[in-house]
Amino acid sequence: MPELPEVETIRRELDTYILGRTVQRATVLDPRLTLGLPVQEFEFRLIGQRVEGVDRRGKYLLLRLTDRVFVLHLMMSGRVHLRPADAVQPHTRLVLGLDRDPALHFVDVRRFGRAWALDETELPTVIGNLGPEPLGDDFDWRTLRDAFRDRQVAVKSALLDQRTVAGVGNIYADEALFSARIHPEAPVDRISAYKLKALARGIVQALQSGIANHGTSFSTFETSRGTPGGHQDHLQVFRRTGQPCPRCTRPIRRIVVGQRSTHYCSFCQRRPRQV
Ligand SMILES: [Zn+2]
């Protein structure tokens, strides 16, 4: 699933290629995309709107339009492609035709992705519950301390909760925990301030290197120009089960935490002692 670095990669490309363009045609090819808003109404809300800004909040992509916000969540397999308006490929669910090519195509094999055409005032109904932006100025270890207070949940699960910090998913949670030498099953209320500082740094670092490498591609993620990201070659633990830990050379292990596949080094990331 695309996480913050993958969505940010797309955001930067859209900012380069479609900022300032005006939506001339909006075509929804899959009515399930609009969450019950009639397709015609959805399309009507976007037509004639100029792209004034391209933002991101967590894993949500936001096109700031003249007086609407177009929101897109890629979910499992969604891809944003920039290509000529008439070059529609299989599994395309939406095309935004602009006053000049390229058009924005939303392609989504598994069809879990969602799109919204909102008034600014409706935006909180979609993104209102998200926690802080980890690459924002006000994110540091105190954000984690406050979010983890009085909770007993495993730290891996807490990081995947978008109310804790927005945009971190399975890949970057594993990478951040490895960097901070924290066991993924450590209960959040037992992590020291020292380790929380390392974790906050680890999150920022993992996300920033993901962005620097244009995202992680295993099977589904592509940039808007149809090329894969490059961060899969730089991961420390994620999907490296059995391969040597980059720090201590012992084999990386895989466990399941909160139903999510989790990768870590059992030597570098010691399980906390039971009380
Ligand atoms: Zn190790």
Side-chain angles (χ1 to χ4, degrees), residues 187-205:
V188 289
D189 62 344
R190 298 198 43 217
I191 302 175
S192 67
Y194 175 80
K195 287 266 185 184
L196 285 183
K197 286 174 190 171
L199 181 56
R201 279 197 304 272
I203 291 170
V204 171
Q205 225 168 56

Side-chain angles (χ1 to χ4, degrees), residues 43-264:
E43 294 172 348
F44 175 76
R45 288 186 179 198
L46 299 175
I47 291 166
Q49 298 276 320
R50 185 172 179 272
V51 182
E52 308 277 0
V54 186
D55 289 341
R56 180 193 53 72
R57 182 75 175 91
K59 303 177 196 171
Y60 292 82
L61 200 57
L62 281 71
L63 296 191
R64 307 262 176 199
L65 305 172
T66 313
D67 47 27
R68 301 259 193 250
V69 190
F70 171 73
V71 183
L72 191 59
H73 195 297
L74 308 178
M75 293 300 286
M76 303 299 289
S77 62
R79 297 171 173 179
V80 174
H81 283 167
L82 293 175
R83 62 167 95 97
D86 53 7
V88 178
Q89 295 195 344
H91 307 295
T92 300
R93 303 178 68 198
L94 165 84
V95 180
L96 294 186
L98 307 169
D99 52 340
R100 191 167 83 196
D101 272 341
L104 186 158
H105 297 244
F106 181 56
V107 183
D108 184 12
V109 176
R110 296 181 66 182
R111 297 173 69 209
F112 288 113
R114 288 288 175 259
W116 296 262
L118 305 169
D119 289 329
E120 184 76 39
T121 54
E122 298 171 304
L123 197 51
T125 61
V126 177
I127 60 168
N129 286 330
L130 292 179
E133 277 298 316
L135 300 182
D137 291 338
D138 46 4
F139 175 79
D140 65 12
W141 73 279
R142 284 171 288 240
T143 318
L144 298 176
R145 178 196 60 192
D146 296 347
F148 292 170
R149 189 168 283 152
D150 301 325
R151 296 177 69 188
Q152 274 92 45
V153 61
V155 63
K156 168 76 186 270
S157 305
L159 288 179
L160 295 186
D161 183 341
Q162 297 299 295
R163 293 168 299 184
T164 306
V165 46
V168 176
N170 216 30
I171 301 172
Y172 297 94
D174 283 4
E175 295 291 298
L177 288 168
F178 173 74
S179 156
R181 300 176 182 248
I182 298 173
H183 192 284
E185 290 181 309
V188 289
D189 62 344
R190 298 198 43 217
I191 302 175
S192 67
Y194 175 80
K195 287 266 185 184
L196 285 183
K197 286 174 190 171
L199 181 56
R201 279 197 304 272
I203 291 170
V204 171
Q205 225 168 56
L207 296 173
Q208 279 175 343
S209 29
I211 294 171
N213 291 312
H214 308 288
T216 301
S217 297
F218 283 109
S219 53
T220 64
F221 175 69
E222 286 176 358
T223 69
S224 64
R225 309 169 77 188
T227 55
H231 196 55
Q232 59 282 3
D233 301 331
H234 300 270
L235 296 170
Q236 310 274 294
V237 289
F238 188 78
R239 291 214 190 160
R240 295 193 66 245
T241 312
Q243 295 181 50
C245 166
R247 238 188 238 127
C248 73
T249 74
R250 289 170 177 83
I252 299 296
R253 291 192 186 178
R254 178 186 173 279
I255 52 172
V256 174
V257 181
Q259 296 169 341
R260 302 299 298 276
S261 181
T262 296
H263 311 80
Y264 76 110

Side-chain angles (χ1 to χ4, degrees), residues 17-29:
Y17 292 105
I18 72 165
L19 185 67
R21 304 261 68 88
T22 300
V23 179
Q24 287 197 328
R25 239 171 4 143
T27 313
V28 175
L29 300 165

Side-chain angles (χ1 to χ4, degrees), residues 4-13 210-211 214-215 221 223:
L4 188 154
E6 290 73 42
V7 179
E8 178 63 20
T9 299
I10 294 170
R11 188 201 70 74
R12 292 178 180 191
E13 292 170 341
I211 294 171
H214 308 288
F221 175 69
T223 69

